[in-house]
mmCIF file with all atom_site columns, all heavy atoms in Angstrom:
data_model
loop_
_atom_site.group_PDB
_atom_site.id
_atom_site.type_symbol
_atom_site.label_atom_id
_atom_site.label_alt_id
_atom_site.label_comp_id
_atom_site.label_asym_id
_atom_site.label_entity_id
_atom_site.label_seq_id
_atom_site.pdbx_PDB_ins_code
_atom_site.Cartn_x
_atom_site.Cartn_y
_atom_site.Cartn_z
_atom_site.occupancy
_atom_site.B_iso_or_equiv
_atom_site.pdbx_formal_charge
_atom_site.auth_seq_id
_atom_site.auth_comp_id
_atom_site.auth_asym_id
_atom_site.auth_atom_id
_atom_site.pdbx_PDB_model_num
ATOM 1   N N   . GLN A 1 160 ? 28.725 -2.910  1.243   1.00 97.00 ? 187 GLN A N   1
ATOM 2   C CA  . GLN A 1 160 ? 29.079 -2.889  -0.162  1.00 97.00 ? 187 GLN A CA  1
ATOM 3   C C   . GLN A 1 160 ? 30.389 -3.629  -0.435  1.00 97.00 ? 187 GLN A C   1
ATOM 4   O O   . GLN A 1 160 ? 31.426 -3.349  0.166   1.00 97.00 ? 187 GLN A O   1
ATOM 5   C CB  . GLN A 1 160 ? 29.189 -1.437  -0.639  1.00 97.00 ? 187 GLN A CB  1
ATOM 6   C CG  . GLN A 1 160 ? 29.715 -1.233  -2.036  1.00 97.00 ? 187 GLN A CG  1
ATOM 7   C CD  . GLN A 1 160 ? 28.758 -1.718  -3.138  1.00 97.00 ? 187 GLN A CD  1
ATOM 8   O OE1 . GLN A 1 160 ? 27.822 -2.437  -2.874  1.00 97.00 ? 187 GLN A OE1 1
ATOM 9   N NE2 . GLN A 1 160 ? 29.008 -1.301  -4.361  1.00 97.00 ? 187 GLN A NE2 1
ATOM 10  N N   . GLY A 1 161 ? 30.338 -4.614  -1.345  1.00 97.00 ? 188 GLY A N   1
ATOM 11  C CA  . GLY A 1 161 ? 31.530 -5.367  -1.721  1.00 97.00 ? 188 GLY A CA  1
ATOM 12  C C   . GLY A 1 161 ? 31.897 -6.485  -0.775  1.00 97.00 ? 188 GLY A C   1
ATOM 13  O O   . GLY A 1 161 ? 32.894 -7.185  -1.008  1.00 97.00 ? 188 GLY A O   1
ATOM 14  N N   . SER A 1 162 ? 31.124 -6.697  0.290   1.00 97.00 ? 189 SER A N   1
ATOM 15  C CA  . SER A 1 162 ? 31.430 -7.783  1.224   1.00 97.00 ? 189 SER A CA  1
ATOM 16  C C   . SER A 1 162 ? 31.288 -9.135  0.522   1.00 97.00 ? 189 SER A C   1
ATOM 17  O O   . SER A 1 162 ? 30.480 -9.288  -0.394  1.00 97.00 ? 189 SER A O   1
ATOM 18  C CB  . SER A 1 162 ? 30.458 -7.719  2.411   1.00 97.00 ? 189 SER A CB  1
ATOM 19  O OG  . SER A 1 162 ? 30.557 -8.891  3.202   1.00 97.00 ? 189 SER A OG  1
ATOM 20  N N   . ASP A 1 163 ? 32.093 -10.095 0.971   1.00 96.00 ? 190 ASP A N   1
ATOM 21  C CA  . ASP A 1 163 ? 31.960 -11.443 0.419   1.00 96.00 ? 190 ASP A CA  1
ATOM 22  C C   . ASP A 1 163 ? 31.534 -12.426 1.505   1.00 96.00 ? 190 ASP A C   1
ATOM 23  O O   . ASP A 1 163 ? 31.874 -13.611 1.476   1.00 96.00 ? 190 ASP A O   1
ATOM 24  C CB  . ASP A 1 163 ? 33.251 -11.907 -0.252  1.00 96.00 ? 190 ASP A CB  1
ATOM 25  C CG  . ASP A 1 163 ? 34.440 -11.911 0.707   1.00 96.00 ? 190 ASP A CG  1
ATOM 26  O OD1 . ASP A 1 163 ? 34.257 -11.538 1.887   1.00 96.00 ? 190 ASP A OD1 1
ATOM 27  O OD2 . ASP A 1 163 ? 35.547 -12.291 0.273   1.00 96.00 ? 190 ASP A OD2 1
ATOM 28  N N   . GLY A 1 164 ? 30.774 -11.919 2.478   1.00 95.00 ? 191 GLY A N   1
ATOM 29  C CA  . GLY A 1 164 ? 30.281 -12.766 3.561   1.00 95.00 ? 191 GLY A CA  1
ATOM 30  C C   . GLY A 1 164 ? 29.409 -13.909 3.061   1.00 95.00 ? 191 GLY A C   1
ATOM 31  O O   . GLY A 1 164 ? 28.620 -13.739 2.131   1.00 95.00 ? 191 GLY A O   1
ATOM 32  N N   . PHE A 1 165 ? 29.606 -15.091 3.633   1.00 97.00 ? 192 PHE A N   1
ATOM 33  C CA  . PHE A 1 165 ? 28.855 -16.312 3.323   1.00 97.00 ? 192 PHE A CA  1
ATOM 34  C C   . PHE A 1 165 ? 29.121 -16.818 1.896   1.00 97.00 ? 192 PHE A C   1
ATOM 35  O O   . PHE A 1 165 ? 28.302 -17.504 1.296   1.00 97.00 ? 192 PHE A O   1
ATOM 36  C CB  . PHE A 1 165 ? 27.350 -16.107 3.571   1.00 97.00 ? 192 PHE A CB  1
ATOM 37  C CG  . PHE A 1 165 ? 27.039 -15.814 5.017   1.00 97.00 ? 192 PHE A CG  1
ATOM 38  C CD1 . PHE A 1 165 ? 26.977 -14.498 5.474   1.00 97.00 ? 192 PHE A CD1 1
ATOM 39  C CD2 . PHE A 1 165 ? 26.855 -16.845 5.934   1.00 97.00 ? 192 PHE A CD2 1
ATOM 40  C CE1 . PHE A 1 165 ? 26.729 -14.223 6.812   1.00 97.00 ? 192 PHE A CE1 1
ATOM 41  C CE2 . PHE A 1 165 ? 26.594 -16.573 7.273   1.00 97.00 ? 192 PHE A CE2 1
ATOM 42  C CZ  . PHE A 1 165 ? 26.539 -15.262 7.711   1.00 97.00 ? 192 PHE A CZ  1
ATOM 43  N N   . GLY A 1 166 ? 30.288 -16.456 1.390   1.00 96.00 ? 193 GLY A N   1
ATOM 44  C CA  . GLY A 1 166 ? 30.747 -17.092 0.172   1.00 96.00 ? 193 GLY A CA  1
ATOM 45  C C   . GLY A 1 166 ? 30.434 -16.418 -1.141  1.00 96.00 ? 193 GLY A C   1
ATOM 46  O O   . GLY A 1 166 ? 30.697 -17.002 -2.197  1.00 96.00 ? 193 GLY A O   1
ATOM 47  N N   . ALA A 1 167 ? 29.914 -15.219 -1.130  1.00 97.00 ? 194 ALA A N   1
ATOM 48  C CA  . ALA A 1 167 ? 29.653 -14.524 -2.401  1.00 97.00 ? 194 ALA A CA  1
ATOM 49  C C   . ALA A 1 167 ? 29.536 -13.030 -2.125  1.00 97.00 ? 194 ALA A C   1
ATOM 50  O O   . ALA A 1 167 ? 29.324 -12.596 -0.988  1.00 97.00 ? 194 ALA A O   1
ATOM 51  C CB  . ALA A 1 167 ? 28.385 -15.059 -3.058  1.00 97.00 ? 194 ALA A CB  1
ATOM 52  N N   . LYS A 1 168 ? 29.668 -12.243 -3.170  1.00 98.00 ? 195 LYS A N   1
ATOM 53  C CA  . LYS A 1 168 ? 29.664 -10.785 -3.033  1.00 98.00 ? 195 LYS A CA  1
ATOM 54  C C   . LYS A 1 168 ? 28.253 -10.226 -2.795  1.00 98.00 ? 195 LYS A C   1
ATOM 55  O O   . LYS A 1 168 ? 27.263 -10.744 -3.313  1.00 98.00 ? 195 LYS A O   1
ATOM 56  C CB  . LYS A 1 168 ? 30.229 -10.138 -4.301  1.00 98.00 ? 195 LYS A CB  1
ATOM 57  C CG  . LYS A 1 168 ? 31.738 -10.323 -4.470  1.00 98.00 ? 195 LYS A CG  1
ATOM 58  C CD  . LYS A 1 168 ? 32.496 -9.442  -3.490  1.00 98.00 ? 195 LYS A CD  1
ATOM 59  C CE  . LYS A 1 168 ? 34.002 -9.468  -3.779  1.00 98.00 ? 195 LYS A CE  1
ATOM 60  N NZ  . LYS A 1 168 ? 34.752 -8.597  -2.849  1.00 98.00 ? 195 LYS A NZ  1
ATOM 61  N N   . TRP A 1 169 ? 28.239 -9.133  -2.019  1.00 98.00 ? 196 TRP A N   1
ATOM 62  C CA  . TRP A 1 169 ? 27.019 -8.373  -1.776  1.00 98.00 ? 196 TRP A CA  1
ATOM 63  C C   . TRP A 1 169 ? 27.189 -6.995  -2.417  1.00 98.00 ? 196 TRP A C   1
ATOM 64  O O   . TRP A 1 169 ? 28.184 -6.314  -2.170  1.00 98.00 ? 196 TRP A O   1
ATOM 65  C CB  . TRP A 1 169 ? 26.771 -8.222  -0.278  1.00 98.00 ? 196 TRP A CB  1
ATOM 66  C CG  . TRP A 1 169 ? 26.559 -9.538  0.428   1.00 98.00 ? 196 TRP A CG  1
ATOM 67  C CD1 . TRP A 1 169 ? 27.529 -10.382 0.890   1.00 98.00 ? 196 TRP A CD1 1
ATOM 68  C CD2 . TRP A 1 169 ? 25.310 -10.151 0.731   1.00 98.00 ? 196 TRP A CD2 1
ATOM 69  N NE1 . TRP A 1 169 ? 26.965 -11.486 1.474   1.00 98.00 ? 196 TRP A NE1 1
ATOM 70  C CE2 . TRP A 1 169 ? 25.600 -11.373 1.390   1.00 98.00 ? 196 TRP A CE2 1
ATOM 71  C CE3 . TRP A 1 169 ? 23.975 -9.792  0.523   1.00 98.00 ? 196 TRP A CE3 1
ATOM 72  C CZ2 . TRP A 1 169 ? 24.604 -12.230 1.847   1.00 98.00 ? 196 TRP A CZ2 1
ATOM 73  C CZ3 . TRP A 1 169 ? 22.975 -10.654 0.969   1.00 98.00 ? 196 TRP A CZ3 1
ATOM 74  C CH2 . TRP A 1 169 ? 23.296 -11.856 1.615   1.00 98.00 ? 196 TRP A CH2 1
ATOM 75  N N   . TRP A 1 170 ? 26.220 -6.612  -3.229  1.00 98.00 ? 197 TRP A N   1
ATOM 76  C CA  . TRP A 1 170 ? 26.329 -5.354  -3.938  1.00 98.00 ? 197 TRP A CA  1
ATOM 77  C C   . TRP A 1 170 ? 25.063 -4.509  -3.789  1.00 98.00 ? 197 TRP A C   1
ATOM 78  O O   . TRP A 1 170 ? 23.954 -5.037  -3.650  1.00 98.00 ? 197 TRP A O   1
ATOM 79  C CB  . TRP A 1 170 ? 26.529 -5.593  -5.447  1.00 98.00 ? 197 TRP A CB  1
ATOM 80  C CG  . TRP A 1 170 ? 27.746 -6.377  -5.837  1.00 98.00 ? 197 TRP A CG  1
ATOM 81  C CD1 . TRP A 1 170 ? 27.772 -7.614  -6.412  1.00 98.00 ? 197 TRP A CD1 1
ATOM 82  C CD2 . TRP A 1 170 ? 29.121 -5.970  -5.704  1.00 98.00 ? 197 TRP A CD2 1
ATOM 83  N NE1 . TRP A 1 170 ? 29.067 -8.012  -6.644  1.00 98.00 ? 197 TRP A NE1 1
ATOM 84  C CE2 . TRP A 1 170 ? 29.921 -7.028  -6.226  1.00 98.00 ? 197 TRP A CE2 1
ATOM 85  C CE3 . TRP A 1 170 ? 29.752 -4.831  -5.199  1.00 98.00 ? 197 TRP A CE3 1
ATOM 86  C CZ2 . TRP A 1 170 ? 31.313 -6.977  -6.260  1.00 98.00 ? 197 TRP A CZ2 1
ATOM 87  C CZ3 . TRP A 1 170 ? 31.147 -4.784  -5.240  1.00 98.00 ? 197 TRP A CZ3 1
ATOM 88  C CH2 . TRP A 1 170 ? 31.907 -5.840  -5.757  1.00 98.00 ? 197 TRP A CH2 1
ATOM 89  N N   . LEU A 1 171 ? 25.278 -3.193  -3.830  1.00 98.00 ? 198 LEU A N   1
ATOM 90  C CA  . LEU A 1 171 ? 24.145 -2.275  -3.952  1.00 98.00 ? 198 LEU A CA  1
ATOM 91  C C   . LEU A 1 171 ? 23.502 -2.508  -5.315  1.00 98.00 ? 198 LEU A C   1
ATOM 92  O O   . LEU A 1 171 ? 24.116 -3.085  -6.216  1.00 98.00 ? 198 LEU A O   1
ATOM 93  C CB  . LEU A 1 171 ? 24.620 -0.826  -3.822  1.00 98.00 ? 198 LEU A CB  1
ATOM 94  C CG  . LEU A 1 171 ? 25.184 -0.433  -2.449  1.00 98.00 ? 198 LEU A CG  1
ATOM 95  C CD1 . LEU A 1 171 ? 25.857 0.934   -2.523  1.00 98.00 ? 198 LEU A CD1 1
ATOM 96  C CD2 . LEU A 1 171 ? 24.083 -0.426  -1.392  1.00 98.00 ? 198 LEU A CD2 1
ATOM 97  N N   . VAL A 1 172 ? 22.265 -2.034  -5.467  1.00 98.00 ? 199 VAL A N   1
ATOM 98  C CA  . VAL A 1 172 ? 21.491 -2.334  -6.680  1.00 98.00 ? 199 VAL A CA  1
ATOM 99  C C   . VAL A 1 172 ? 21.151 -1.041  -7.422  1.00 98.00 ? 199 VAL A C   1
ATOM 100 O O   . VAL A 1 172 ? 20.574 -0.108  -6.848  1.00 98.00 ? 199 VAL A O   1
ATOM 101 C CB  . VAL A 1 172 ? 20.187 -3.075  -6.332  1.00 98.00 ? 199 VAL A CB  1
ATOM 102 C CG1 . VAL A 1 172 ? 19.493 -3.565  -7.602  1.00 98.00 ? 199 VAL A CG1 1
ATOM 103 C CG2 . VAL A 1 172 ? 20.460 -4.238  -5.382  1.00 98.00 ? 199 VAL A CG2 1
ATOM 104 N N   . ALA A 1 173 ? 21.499 -0.992  -8.704  1.00 98.00 ? 200 ALA A N   1
ATOM 105 C CA  . ALA A 1 173 ? 21.174 0.171   -9.538  1.00 98.00 ? 200 ALA A CA  1
ATOM 106 C C   . ALA A 1 173 ? 19.694 0.119   -9.936  1.00 98.00 ? 200 ALA A C   1
ATOM 107 O O   . ALA A 1 173 ? 19.067 -0.951  -9.905  1.00 98.00 ? 200 ALA A O   1
ATOM 108 C CB  . ALA A 1 173 ? 22.046 0.179   -10.791 1.00 98.00 ? 200 ALA A CB  1
ATOM 109 N N   . PRO A 1 174 ? 19.091 1.267   -10.309 1.00 97.00 ? 201 PRO A N   1
ATOM 110 C CA  . PRO A 1 174 ? 17.689 1.276   -10.751 1.00 97.00 ? 201 PRO A CA  1
ATOM 111 C C   . PRO A 1 174 ? 17.436 0.377   -11.958 1.00 97.00 ? 201 PRO A C   1
ATOM 112 O O   . PRO A 1 174 ? 16.302 -0.025  -12.209 1.00 97.00 ? 201 PRO A O   1
ATOM 113 C CB  . PRO A 1 174 ? 17.434 2.749   -11.091 1.00 97.00 ? 201 PRO A CB  1
ATOM 114 C CG  . PRO A 1 174 ? 18.428 3.507   -10.285 1.00 97.00 ? 201 PRO A CG  1
ATOM 115 C CD  . PRO A 1 174 ? 19.645 2.641   -10.236 1.00 97.00 ? 201 PRO A CD  1
ATOM 116 N N   . THR A 1 175 ? 18.495 0.058   -12.707 1.00 97.00 ? 202 THR A N   1
ATOM 117 C CA  . THR A 1 175 ? 18.352 -0.847  -13.848 1.00 97.00 ? 202 THR A CA  1
ATOM 118 C C   . THR A 1 175 ? 18.253 -2.303  -13.421 1.00 97.00 ? 202 THR A C   1
ATOM 119 O O   . THR A 1 175 ? 17.921 -3.176  -14.219 1.00 97.00 ? 202 THR A O   1
ATOM 120 C CB  . THR A 1 175 ? 19.551 -0.694  -14.797 1.00 97.00 ? 202 THR A CB  1
ATOM 121 O OG1 . THR A 1 175 ? 20.759 -1.003  -14.060 1.00 97.00 ? 202 THR A OG1 1
ATOM 122 C CG2 . THR A 1 175 ? 19.644 0.717   -15.357 1.00 97.00 ? 202 THR A CG2 1
ATOM 123 N N   . GLY A 1 176 ? 18.580 -2.577  -12.148 1.00 97.00 ? 203 GLY A N   1
ATOM 124 C CA  . GLY A 1 176 ? 18.573 -3.942  -11.642 1.00 97.00 ? 203 GLY A CA  1
ATOM 125 C C   . GLY A 1 176 ? 19.950 -4.568  -11.610 1.00 97.00 ? 203 GLY A C   1
ATOM 126 O O   . GLY A 1 176 ? 20.127 -5.652  -11.050 1.00 97.00 ? 203 GLY A O   1
ATOM 127 N N   . SER A 1 177 ? 20.935 -3.914  -12.193 1.00 97.00 ? 204 SER A N   1
ATOM 128 C CA  . SER A 1 177 ? 22.302 -4.444  -12.185 1.00 97.00 ? 204 SER A CA  1
ATOM 129 C C   . SER A 1 177 ? 22.995 -4.100  -10.868 1.00 97.00 ? 204 SER A C   1
ATOM 130 O O   . SER A 1 177 ? 22.558 -3.207  -10.128 1.00 97.00 ? 204 SER A O   1
ATOM 131 C CB  . SER A 1 177 ? 23.099 -3.881  -13.361 1.00 97.00 ? 204 SER A CB  1
ATOM 132 O OG  . SER A 1 177 ? 23.193 -2.477  -13.276 1.00 97.00 ? 204 SER A OG  1
ATOM 133 N N   . ASP A 1 178 ? 24.101 -4.806  -10.577 1.00 96.00 ? 205 ASP A N   1
ATOM 134 C CA  . ASP A 1 178 ? 24.811 -4.533  -9.328  1.00 96.00 ? 205 ASP A CA  1
ATOM 135 C C   . ASP A 1 178 ? 25.717 -3.305  -9.491  1.00 96.00 ? 205 ASP A C   1
ATOM 136 O O   . ASP A 1 178 ? 26.210 -3.006  -10.566 1.00 96.00 ? 205 ASP A O   1
ATOM 137 C CB  . ASP A 1 178 ? 25.618 -5.751  -8.870  1.00 96.00 ? 205 ASP A CB  1
ATOM 138 C CG  . ASP A 1 178 ? 26.452 -6.344  -9.994  1.00 96.00 ? 205 ASP A CG  1
ATOM 139 O OD1 . ASP A 1 178 ? 26.577 -5.703  -11.056 1.00 96.00 ? 205 ASP A OD1 1
ATOM 140 O OD2 . ASP A 1 178 ? 26.981 -7.451  -9.819  1.00 96.00 ? 205 ASP A OD2 1
ATOM 141 N N   . VAL A 1 179 ? 25.886 -2.602  -8.374  1.00 97.00 ? 206 VAL A N   1
ATOM 142 C CA  . VAL A 1 179 ? 26.796 -1.446  -8.314  1.00 97.00 ? 206 VAL A CA  1
ATOM 143 C C   . VAL A 1 179 ? 28.066 -1.940  -7.647  1.00 97.00 ? 206 VAL A C   1
ATOM 144 O O   . VAL A 1 179 ? 28.052 -2.324  -6.474  1.00 97.00 ? 206 VAL A O   1
ATOM 145 C CB  . VAL A 1 179 ? 26.167 -0.290  -7.516  1.00 97.00 ? 206 VAL A CB  1
ATOM 146 C CG1 . VAL A 1 179 ? 27.160 0.870   -7.375  1.00 97.00 ? 206 VAL A CG1 1
ATOM 147 C CG2 . VAL A 1 179 ? 24.876 0.181   -8.169  1.00 97.00 ? 206 VAL A CG2 1
#
Side-chain angles (χ1 to χ4, degrees):
Q187 173 69 345
S189 169
D190 59 359
F192 297 92
K195 288 287 188 179
W196 298 84
W197 300 114
L198 294 169
V199 188
T202 59
S204 61
D205 48 11
V206 176

